Amino acid sequence: ELVLKVRIQNPSLKENDFIEIELDRQELTYKELLRVSCRELGVNPEHVQKIRKLPNTMLRKDKDVARLQDFQELELVLTVSDKNFLFRVPTLSERSGYNKKASELTY
């Protein structure tokens, strides 16, 4: 097995930890990497724009995946809109305890 560290790319999260996934070395394909990563992270594969090998290399094909080594760090870059994004940070007015009238007070 090949062990990789994967996370969803989201700079707005304070903690964006990696998870470890295992791929069968006999099935090192882009499609299999995408399938396993999405299943483990709970992401729809149709929402993945690209897979990035950190710090700055885009994976595009099976040969790229075949060159990966144990514990390399990957990010899934998603294409979903803000309103549908799983990890979207709520705006101030959406947070619990926000008081619109209090925010309009002037001193």
Side-chain angles (χ1 to χ4, degrees):
E1 289 185 337
L2 174 67
V3 179
L4 300 170
K5 296 166 62 175
V6 183
R7 70 178 180 189
I8 296 172
Q9 184 267 335
N10 187 356
S12 64
L13 286 179
K14 290 182 181 176
E15 292 186 32
N16 193 13
D17 295 331
F18 289 93
I19 63 166
E20 292 181 353
I21 63 167
E22 297 85 23
L23 292 177
D24 185 341
R25 289 189 186 269
Q26 305 304 316
E27 297 181 37
L28 288 181
T29 64
Y30 184 89
K31 184 177 180 180
E32 182 66 4
L33 171 62
L34 180 63
R35 186 189 71 76
V36 172
S37 298
C38 288
R39 185 188 72 221
E40 293 289 330
L41 291 168
V43 173
N44 184 336
E46 294 175 2
H47 293 162
V48 177
Q49 178 182 11
K50 61 184 171 182
I51 300 175
R52 178 184 297 133
K53 181 176 75 170
L54 295 179
N56 59 4
T57 304
M58 184 174 67
L59 298 179
R60 301 172 297 137
K61 54 190 175 186
D62 293 347
K63 285 185 177 183
D64 297 342
V65 176
R67 285 191 290 268
L68 294 174
Q69 297 183 12
D70 277 328
F71 301 104
Q72 284 197 288
E73 296 178 344
L74 307 175
E75 283 185 333
L76 300 184
V77 179
L78 304 183
T79 59
V80 294
S81 65
D82 271 356
K83 65 181 178 181
N84 295 326
F85 194 64
L86 296 173
F87 300 103
R88 184 175 65 89
V89 177
T91 63
L92 183 60
S93 61
E94 293 173 331
R95 293 182 188 154
S96 62
Y98 177 77
N99 185 334
K100 183 169 175 42
K101 289 182 180 178
S103 69
E104 296 171 352
L105 292 176
T106 56
Y107 293 96

